[in-house]
């Protein structure tokens, strides 16, 4: 399985996981310039921006650890554009869905409020 195929599978598994929790998905793969947010869903008074990270092993650490400060800034820029262009009056929440998928199964960790915008 290529890295792209693994990433696509991870995003599909994350969507299935969120839908099973009956969360309202409003967009996937939202792009702003070269930045992208994998999944956007709605909570009362909030829009939640989700980064999905998928690996075949957690030997070098859990997938969520690869969401660097640089990547967080890219997601925050994307979220800002999404909220401003739609003239929304909501809070932004940033989650990470960390997935390990291999022959032993699929293991999903949903980290809500994983990071916050910094001034």
């Amino acid at each position: 399985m290529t890295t792209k195929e693994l990433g696509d599978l991870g995003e599909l598994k994350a969507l299935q996981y969120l839908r099973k929790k009956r969360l309202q998905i409003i967009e996937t793969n939202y792009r702003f310039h070269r930045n992208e947010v994998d999944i956007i869903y709605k909570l009362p008074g909030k829009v939640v921006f989700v980064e999905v990270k998928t690996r075949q092993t957690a030997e070098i650490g859990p997938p969520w650890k690869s969401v660097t400060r640089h990547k967080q800034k890219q997601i925050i820029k994307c979220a800002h554009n999404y909220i401003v262009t739609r003239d929304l009056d909501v809070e932004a929440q940033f989650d990470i869905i960390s997935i390990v998928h291999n022959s032993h199964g699929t293991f999903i960790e949903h980290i809500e409020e994983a990071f916050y915008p910094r001034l």
Side-chain angles (χ1 to χ4, degrees):
M1 180 176 299
T2 68
T3 304
K4 168 118 174 67
E5 290 169 337
L6 183 64
D8 290 346
L9 178 66
E11 287 182 25
L12 177 63
K13 296 279 187 189
L15 274 171
Q16 291 169 342
Y17 168 84
L18 294 172
R19 286 186 176 127
K20 197 172 187 178
K21 291 177 75 172
R22 301 228 188 278
L23 294 169
Q24 183 183 354
I25 309 299
I26 52 179
E27 192 140 356
T28 59
N29 304 110
Y30 176 75
R31 296 189 75 78
F32 173 63
H33 297 300
R34 302 180 94 185
N35 306 315
E36 181 184 34
V37 173
D38 296 321
I39 301 170
I40 303 172
Y41 70 89
K42 218 173 170 175
L43 290 175
K46 288 184 182 180
V47 175
V48 184
F49 300 88
V50 182
E51 175 67 9
V52 179
K53 283 295 178 191
T54 309
R55 300 285 182 265
Q56 289 184 325
T57 179
E59 284 183 14
I60 59 170
W64 63 264
K65 283 205 170 197
S66 66
V67 182
T68 63
R69 183 69 191 134
H70 177 71
K71 181 63 177 171
Q72 291 173 20
K73 286 179 182 180
Q74 291 176 327
I75 295 165
I76 291 164
K77 283 180 193 174
C78 229
H80 177 75
N81 178 264
Y82 184 87
I83 290 169
V84 169
T85 58
R86 284 159 180 76
D87 196 28
L88 300 176
D89 185 20
V90 294
E91 281 186 45
Q93 177 176 309
F94 299 93
D95 292 4
I96 299 172
I97 295 183
S98 181
I99 300 174
V100 175
H101 174 81
N102 54 40
S103 60
H104 300 292
T106 301
F107 307 92
I108 299 174
E109 181 180 10
H110 182 186
I111 305 161
E112 297 179 49
E113 299 181 22
F115 59 90
Y116 300 91
R118 295 184 190 166
L119 297 176

